[in-house]
């Protein structure tokens, strides 16, 4: 395995999982795990989308092929055309004969009457291995659920509207002195920066800030005219428009890796960097949130400081508190900041990615939730003067989730804010249950003696999203699986919005992470 691959894995799954090198696991993977994954996750899904009975029949074993195929044919009969099929593998029991797999299937397409249709179905299938490889020998389907089809639709008008942009990553140096890709992406923000009433767009391109000004729904690139667009000596990670001096114009905070963050003051027709803003950091700021934490009327800054995964891997499967500490900076009213992290009690050392601020307990001050990439999420309750108490456990939000993003929203309309945390739902996570699978960084003997506990600790990072309903008494109820919002793939940025204007909040989530030859191997 090359150094670049090792570095990328250290940032993701390999920090939690690393397949052991024993011969039994390699053989099991080659002869059983990979073929079953390909059959169910890819070939079966493709055959359903093609709606070709002959191709489908080839995946089923004799002698009860016709009987085993009938649930799938019943599903096909509900469509005139299938545009997309996804088959998720929940788990596979390799210790029984025949092998049993539990699947979650979603098919989307056109119904016979011409309407849009989306159907979801859970099923239990049995698998046998013959001369031609693994085949499906039985199918015990659950009920077919019709998924409501939205009434609003979107079309891609990026180029038409003038938002022509291509991200260019900046390289970072690994412990061997070799340049590697910065693997955490970059930032985007939308805000009215020029005060004309239209929402502009700020995009970070590795080491550049690009500004696109909106005039009536069409954008013009104005980076250089406004003081941006030049290459900087650091990797830019997050863009946060915020009025730090209360002059009515949105200034811009920009987080960075390999250099200090940047603060730009909006002068009305250009931005000027504030060189002495007081934002002294360990140069690992991955994201940030602005809010008036001390109630003085000025926006303060909470910085989520991750770490360099090429030099330091998270310490799993415990609390993973070996990242750089987050920081809280209070605004002095003139756009300059002082570090009050220790005095405020918010020195989170988790691998934080998702800080979001809101008054979740309706006591008139702004509280803080921090979603951690590894370890456990934290919730800080504010006393109104920027002194915080961690209440994660009593509130019920101290769950491991590999948080990629978080957002507050009153989804049930009861007047208090609920919380959605986007996490990872891996289509390959079922391999944890394979008897021969070894967990790297966990001693083999310990893994054997305490296998259920080790697997449960790791499995919690692959459950998918967390959805917390605010009970109104300082506590939350987690019900992502019950609500149907647990699985959105490898979740990244998820936000609340009422996209169909029906008065109810919906969720939009970006997802994706490629770790195999095929795009949905994660």
């Amino acid at each position: 395995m090359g150094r670049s691959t090792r570095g990328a894995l250290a940032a993701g799954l390999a920090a939690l999982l690393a397949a052991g090198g024993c011969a039994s696991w390699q053989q099991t993977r080659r002869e059983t795990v990979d073929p079953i994954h390909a059959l169910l996750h890819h070939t079966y899904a493709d055959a359903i989308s093609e709606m070709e009975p002959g191709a489908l029949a080839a995946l089923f074993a004799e002698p009860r092929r016709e009987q085993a195929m009938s649930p799938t044919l019943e599903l096909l009969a509900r469509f005139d055309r299938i545009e997309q099929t996804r088959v998720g593998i929940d788990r596979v029991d390799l210790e029984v004969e025949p092998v049993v797999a539990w699947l979650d299937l979603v098919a989307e397409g056109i119904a016979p009457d011409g309407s849009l249709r989306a159907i979801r179905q859970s099923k239990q299938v049995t698998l046998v291995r013959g001369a031609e490889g693994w085949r499906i020998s039985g199918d015990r389907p659950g009920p077919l659920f019709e998924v409501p089809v939205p009434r609003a639709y979107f079309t891609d008008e990026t180029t038409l509207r003038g938002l022509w942009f291509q991200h260019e990553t900046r390289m970072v140096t690994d412990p061997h002195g070799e340049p590697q890709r910065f693997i955490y992406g970059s930032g985007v923000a939308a805000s009215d920066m020029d005060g004309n009433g239209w929402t502009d767009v700020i995009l970070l391109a590795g080491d550049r800030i690009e500004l696109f000004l909106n005039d009536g729904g069409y954008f013009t690139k104005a980076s250089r005219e406004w003081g941006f667009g030049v290459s900087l000596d650091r990797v830019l990670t997050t863009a946060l428009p915020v009025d730090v001096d209360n002059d009515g114009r949105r200034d811009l905070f920009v987080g960075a890796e390999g250099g200090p963050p940047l603060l730009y003051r909006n002068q009305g027709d250009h931005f000027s960097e504030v060189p002495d803003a007081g934002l002294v950091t360990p140069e690992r700021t991955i994201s940030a949130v602005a809010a008036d934490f001390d109630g003085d009327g000025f926006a303060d800054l909470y910085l989520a400081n991750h770490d360099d995964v090429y030099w330091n891997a998270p310490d799993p499967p415990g609390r993973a508190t070996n990242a750089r500490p987050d920081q809280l900076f209070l605004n002095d009213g003139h756009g300059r900041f002082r570090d009050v992290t220790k005095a405020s009690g918010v020195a989170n050392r988790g691998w934080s990615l998702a800080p979001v601020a809101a008054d979740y307990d309706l006591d008139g001050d702004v509280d803080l939730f921090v979603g951690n990439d590894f370890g456990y999420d934290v919730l800080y309750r504010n006393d109104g003067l920027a002194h915080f108490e961690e209440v994660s456990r009593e509130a019920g939000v101290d769950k491991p989730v590999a948080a990629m993003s978080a957002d507050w929203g009153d989804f049930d309309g009861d007047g208090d804010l609920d919380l959605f945390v986007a996490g990872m739902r891996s289509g390959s996570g079922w391999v944890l249950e394979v008897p021969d699978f070894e967990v790297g960084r966990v001693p083999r003997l310990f893994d054997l003696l305490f296998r259920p506990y080790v697997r449960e600790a790791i499995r919690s990072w692959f459950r998918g999203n967390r959805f917390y309903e605010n009970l109104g008494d300082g506590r939350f109820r987690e019900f992502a699986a019950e609500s149907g919002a647990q699985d959105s793939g490898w979740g990244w940025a998820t936000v609340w919005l009422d996209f169909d204007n029906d008065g109810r909040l919906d969720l939009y989530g970006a997802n994706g992470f490629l770790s195999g030859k095929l795009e949905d191997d994660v």
Side-chain angles (χ1 to χ4, degrees):
M1 183 181 291
R3 291 171 180 168
S4 177
T5 304
R6 286 200 299 269
L9 288 175
L13 288 177
L16 297 173
L17 305 175
C22 65
S24 60
W25 161 243
Q26 298 300 332
Q27 182 178 355
T28 300
R29 179 175 180 176
R30 181 176 61 255
E31 297 178 357
T32 304
V33 172
D34 286 350
I36 288 178
H37 185 78
L39 170 64
L40 299 178
H41 198 47
H42 298 294
T43 313
Y44 182 45
D46 292 344
I48 294 174
S49 294
E50 293 169 4
M51 300 185 69
E52 176 53 53
L56 195 63
L59 308 182
F60 288 83
E62 295 287 7
R64 298 192 301 166
R65 173 181 293 171
E66 191 171 313
Q67 179 181 349
M69 283 180 58
S70 60
T72 305
L73 294 176
E74 179 185 348
L75 173 67
L76 298 185
R78 294 172 176 262
F79 289 90
D80 181 64
R81 184 173 76 252
I82 294 180
E83 302 289 352
Q84 178 177 253
T85 304
R86 300 188 301 277
V87 176
I89 305 173
D90 185 50
R91 62 190 178 96
V92 180
D93 189 349
L94 299 178
E95 298 182 282
V96 297
E97 184 66 37
V99 169
V100 180
W102 288 262
L103 311 178
D104 186 43
L105 186 153
V106 178
E108 301 172 349
I110 309 299
D113 64 2
S115 63
L116 294 174
R117 166 165 281 174
I119 290 178
R120 185 168 195 156
Q121 183 179 48
S122 295
K123 56 173 59 190
Q124 177 181 318
V125 301
T126 53
L127 304 167
V128 294
R129 179 165 53 185
E132 297 180 351
W134 287 92
R135 294 291 184 267
I136 301 171
S137 61
D139 188 347
R140 295 178 57 188
L144 291 168
F145 292 102
E146 192 93 14
V147 180
V149 176
R151 297 189 298 271
Y153 306 95
F154 295 88
T155 57
D156 184 355
E157 297 186 356
T158 309
T159 304
L160 173 66
R161 299 286 177 170
L163 279 172
W164 47 275
F165 174 83
Q166 182 173 346
H167 174 73
E168 298 174 1
T169 188
R170 183 183 174 96
M171 308 300 278
V172 296
T173 304
D174 69 9
H176 306 282
E178 297 184 4
Q180 308 290 352
R181 292 180 60 192
F182 180 70
I183 60 178
Y184 283 104
S186 200
V188 59
S191 184
D192 182 9
M193 307 303 286
D194 58 0
N196 70 347
W198 293 90
T199 301
D200 309 306
V201 174
I202 303 102
L203 291 155
L204 304 183
D207 58 0
R208 302 191 328 274
I209 303 169
E210 300 290 6
L211 173 64
F212 290 83
L213 295 181
N214 186 347
D215 184 10
Y218 292 86
F219 294 85
T220 301
K221 187 175 180 180
S223 309
R224 292 189 179 273
E225 296 89 332
W226 280 68
F228 299 135
V230 297
S231 178
L232 301 167
D233 60 347
R234 66 209 76 179
V235 181
L236 306 180
T237 58
T238 185
L240 179 63
V242 53
D243 184 1
V244 299
D245 51 8
N246 286 5
D247 65 353
R249 295 189 291 263
R250 289 294 181 96
D251 309 300
L252 184 65
F253 170 85
V254 179
E257 161 94 4
L262 301 163
L263 182 65
Y264 293 92
R265 180 166 284 116
N266 190 336
Q267 307 291 358
D269 58 359
H270 71 282
F271 284 88
S272 59
E273 184 181 349
V274 181
D276 55 348
L279 299 171
V280 180
T281 76
E283 303 184 358
R284 293 283 181 265
T285 300
I286 197 72
S287 58
V289 63
D292 181 11
F293 291 111
D294 58 358
D296 66 353
F298 293 92
D300 309 305
L301 289 170
Y302 182 90
L303 308 189
N305 298 320
H306 207 262
D307 214 327
D308 188 338
V309 296
Y310 289 109
W311 293 79
N312 180 32
D315 191 15
R319 299 192 67 88
T321 55
N322 62 329
R324 303 298 177 95
D326 294 348
Q327 294 170 285
L328 176 62
F329 291 91
L330 295 186
N331 191 337
D332 68 359
H334 302 287
R336 291 178 173 80
F337 297 83
R338 62 186 177 93
D339 189 341
V340 297
T341 306
K342 290 184 178 179
S344 67
V346 292
N348 170 54
R349 288 190 64 100
W351 290 67
S352 53
L353 281 181
V356 285
D359 182 11
Y360 81 91
D361 53 3
L362 303 180
D363 65 352
D365 52 43
V366 183
D367 309 299
L368 179 68
F369 173 85
V370 183
N372 287 318
D373 192 359
F374 303 98
Y376 294 79
D377 298 337
V378 292
L379 177 64
Y380 294 107
R381 186 170 58 205
N382 191 352
D383 69 355
L385 299 174
H387 301 127
F388 294 84
E389 176 187 5
E390 185 185 343
V391 294
S392 315
R393 177 166 296 182
E394 48 264 52
V397 299
D398 62 330
K399 311 295 184 186
V401 64
M404 302 289 112
S405 68
D407 199 18
W408 296 97
D410 183 11
F411 87 97
D412 52 6
D414 64 354
D416 53 34
L417 293 174
D418 310 294
L419 179 64
F420 188 86
V421 184
M424 301 184 302
R425 180 76 169 182
S426 172
S428 303
W430 65 273
V431 301
L432 285 171
E433 314 301 333
V434 177
D436 293 336
F437 185 83
E438 290 186 353
V439 180
R441 302 188 65 170
V442 175
R444 177 66 171 166
L445 179 60
F446 185 90
D447 187 18
L448 290 173
L449 291 175
F450 303 101
R451 180 182 178 88
Y453 304 100
V454 172
R455 291 302 188 270
E456 178 58 28
I458 299 173
R459 193 187 299 111
S460 59
W461 271 270
F462 297 91
R463 291 191 189 282
N465 307 316
R466 299 281 188 179
F467 190 2
Y468 298 102
E469 178 190 11
N470 192 334
L471 300 179
D473 59 359
R475 296 178 300 123
F476 292 81
R477 179 178 74 96
E478 203 287 310
F479 73 124
E482 177 185 337
S483 70
Q486 184 178 48
D487 184 4
S488 58
W490 196 290
W492 288 105
T494 302
V495 295
W496 290 104
L497 77 164
D498 180 10
F499 84 99
D500 54 1
N501 291 329
D502 66 353
R504 297 186 295 267
L505 286 179
D506 310 298
L507 282 166
Y508 175 81
N511 65 8
F513 191 93
L514 308 185
S515 61
K517 295 181 179 179
L518 299 172
E519 291 185 354
D520 51 355
D521 279 329
V522 293

